[in-house]
Amino acid sequence: MDITKLKAAVIADIDARYPQLADLNRRLFNNPEVAFEERRSSALLADFLDKNGFKVERGICNLETAFRGKYGSGRPVIAFLAEYDALPKLGHACGHNLIATSAVAAGLASRQAVDSLGGSVMVFGTPGEELYGGKAIMAAAGAFTDVDAAMLTHPGGGSRVLMSTLACENLKMEFRGVAAHTAGAPEQGINALEAMIQSFNAINSLRQHIKATERISGIITDGGEAANIVPAHTAATFIVRAENDVLLEALKKRVIACFAGAARATGAKFKYSWGEHYDAMVSNVTLAELFYENMRSLGRPVSLGENNVLNFSTDVGNVSHLVPTIQPLVAIAPGSVMIHTPQFARAAATERALRCLLDAAKAMAMTAVDLLSSPANLKKVREEFLKGK
Ligand SMILES: [Zn+2]
Ligand SMILES: [Zn+2]
C-alpha cells in the first residue's frame, strides 16, 4: 500500500472507532485516579489494547499501574505514551484522559502501517506524571531502550508542536523542635512552625533574585498539633524548577540555605531529601515537522512553534533524553484557561476536546507511517537526536 493510502486508512480507522474511543475517554474522565493509584484507568487501557491485538505486559518497571502494549516485531519501534493520572480534588484538570485515549487510538490505527511496512508500535502506560515522575522511573529501568521515536499529545490552551520545559526536582523537608505549653512554659519550647514560616519568608525574599524562568513552590504538610502546644515537628514539600540541571543544582543549594538559616535562627533541627527529578524536555524538530505537516493536512490549525521553554515540567523530559520525542500541545480551551483548574477539567470532558485529541492521534499515527515507511526520515530524526547529545 502506498503512503497516501496508508495515511487515509489510519484516519478512517480512528473515525470508525469513534464511539469506542468516546466511551473509553468518558470512563477515564469519570473515574479520576491520582498518581500511582490509577488501577481502573490502567486496566481499562491495557484491556482495550489487549482486545485489539496488542501483546500487553502489566505492572512493568515495578510500577503496578504501568504497562506496555506491543504490536508487530522488530525495529523500528514507534511508541505512543499514555498518561492517565488525575489531580487531587480537581479530577482530570490536566486532561490526561485525552492523552490516554489519543495514545491508544494512535496505537490501534498504526497497526495497519505495521502490517504493511514491518516494525512495531508500542503504547506505554506511564502512570504518576503529576507527582512521582513515572516516566523517570521507567526511563531509569530501561523501558525505552529499544524505542526509535516517542510521541504523545497534551491538551492545552494553545496549539504548538515544539517546546521545551523546565527541569524540576521534588523536595521533602522537616523541622524538629521541642514541645512545650505555649502559655505555661513557652521559654522551654523550640518552635518548628516558626522555623518553617521563616523558611517560607526567606524563600519569598530569594524569589526576587532568581531568573525569570526559575520557580520555587511549596506547601506545609504538617504545621503542628494544637495552638496550645509549641509545634515540635513540621514538614513541607517543595518543587524547585530551572531551565537546565546546572541552574537547578545552583538553585537547590540556595533553597536549602533558606532552611539552614531558619534552623539556625530558631534552634530547630532540619532534615531534607530530594525526590523525583524531571529532566528538561528536548523536542525533536524533525519529528515535530512531520507531525506538523500531518496535522495541517487534517485542516486542524496548529503552529510549529519554537523550541523555547514553557514554564512547567513533565517527566516526558526524561524520555526525551533517551529517545527522539515530541509532545505537541493541542488547544481544547481558550488560551486564558490554564491547566490544573476546574475550568480546564470541564473543557477536558467535552466532545470538542476529544475531537481535537483524536485529530492529534491521527497525526501521530500518520507520523508513524512516515517513520516506518522511510529509513531516510528515521535517519534524520536519529541524527538530530545524536547531535544534541
Ligand atoms: Zn498536569
Ligand atoms: Zn499534564
Side-chain angles (χ1 to χ4, degrees):
M1 212 188 286
D2 72 16
I3 301 312
T4 316
K5 280 194 183 143
L6 263 180
K7 287 190 177 179
V10 155
I11 294 168
D13 182 280
I14 291 176
D15 284 336
R17 215 180 288 285
Y18 183 81
Q20 280 175 21
L21 294 167
D23 180 59
L24 176 67
N25 188 52
R26 193 166 31 243
R27 285 167 186 243
L28 293 169
F29 184 86
N30 289 338
N31 291 294
E33 296 169 300
V34 297
F36 286 174
E37 293 176 19
E38 316 95 327
R39 291 181 190 91
R40 279 175 302 178
S41 303
S42 69
L44 264 177
L45 293 158
D47 290 348
F48 198 88
L49 289 165
D50 204 348
K51 278 191 201 117
N52 285 285
F54 276 71
K55 190 169 159 276
V56 180
E57 292 168 79
R58 301 166 199 240
I60 60 167
C61 305
N62 283 324
L63 297 175
E64 185 190 347
T65 53
F67 65 85
R68 172 177 44 220
K70 185 176 181 186
Y71 186 87
S73 61
R75 304 288 278 263
V77 174
I78 313 303
F80 304 107
L81 309 182
E83 295 176 357
Y84 34 84
D85 58 330
L87 290 157
K89 297 208 167 77
L90 289 175
H92 274 297
C94 208
H96 292 185
N97 56 307
L98 296 161
I99 298 179
T101 304
S102 64
V104 165
L108 261 57
S110 300
R111 289 176 311 171
Q112 302 176 75
V114 168
D115 290 342
S116 169
L117 302 166
S120 320
V121 286
M122 286 190 185
V123 178
F124 282 92
T126 66
E129 191 277 333
E130 295 288 358
L131 282 185
Y132 304 119
K135 289 183 211 65
I137 296 166
M138 294 171 76
F144 307 110
T145 308
D146 293 324
V147 175
D148 293 288
M151 293 178 255
L152 75 162
T153 305
H154 201 299
S159 293
R160 58 186 283 174
V161 185
L162 283 171
M163 62 153 177
S164 171
T165 57
L166 297 172
C168 81
E169 206 157 308
N170 294 341
L171 169 67
K172 278 198 169 79
M173 66 86 42
E174 58 188 312
F175 281 107
R176 279 209 183 272
V178 174
H181 195 292
T182 51
E187 71 284 357
Q188 292 175 15
I190 294 180
N191 195 320
L193 181 58
E194 288 301 330
M196 187 63 82
I197 291 167
Q198 286 203 21
S199 302
F200 272 79
N201 286 334
I203 287 167
N204 287 344
S205 300
L206 171 63
R207 238 185 240 111
Q208 298 177 64
H209 304 290
I210 61 178
K211 287 167 72 87
T213 46
E214 294 178 338
R215 297 284 186 274
I216 310 162
S217 55
I219 57 164
I220 297 177
T221 53
D222 176 8
E225 300 296 332
N228 59 0
I229 308 169
V230 173
H233 180 263
T234 52
T237 61
F238 277 79
I239 304 174
V240 183
R241 306 178 203 247
E243 274 183 62
N244 57 49
D245 284 352
V246 175
L247 292 170
L248 185 61
E249 281 308 310
L251 187 59
K252 280 166 58 182
K253 285 199 178 75
R254 296 172 79 187
V255 169
I256 296 302
C258 294
F259 296 117
R264 183 116 198 234
T266 58
K269 302 241 183 315
F270 81 109
K271 67 175 185 190
Y272 63 92
S273 61
W274 290 101
E276 297 72 23
H277 178 94
Y278 291 38
D279 287 334
M281 160 109 192
V282 184
S283 295
N284 187 279
V285 179
T286 310
L287 198 52
E289 284 170 350
L290 292 171
F291 176 92
Y292 170 73
E293 288 303 332
N294 287 319
M295 197 69 169
R296 256 175 30 129
S297 76
L298 297 169
R300 176 71 61 185
V302 62
S303 82
L304 186 59
E306 287 172 50
N307 233 341
N308 56 348
V309 175
L310 300 181
N311 289 334
F312 61 89
S313 309
T314 169
D315 60 8
V316 181
N318 298 55
V319 181
S320 76
H321 287 265
L322 301 173
V323 178
T325 301
I326 52 169
Q327 181 181 216
L329 302 177
V330 174
I332 62 161
S336 56
V337 177
M338 291 299 292
I339 55 173
H340 293 203
T341 61
Q343 293 89 330
F344 197 84
R346 282 197 287 279
T350 60
E351 184 184 336
R352 178 188 162 215
L354 180 60
R355 299 250 178 222
C356 291
L357 267 288
L358 289 183
D359 272 358
K362 290 172 189 171
M364 288 197 292
M366 291 158 84
T367 304
V369 171
D370 288 328
L371 296 172
L372 293 171
S373 64
S374 164
N377 279 340
L378 263 178
K379 187 165 172 251
K380 205 173 157 208
V381 165
R382 184 86 196 146
E383 278 174 359
E384 181 198 325
F385 176 77
L386 291 174
K387 218 162 72 186
K389 290 270 110 188

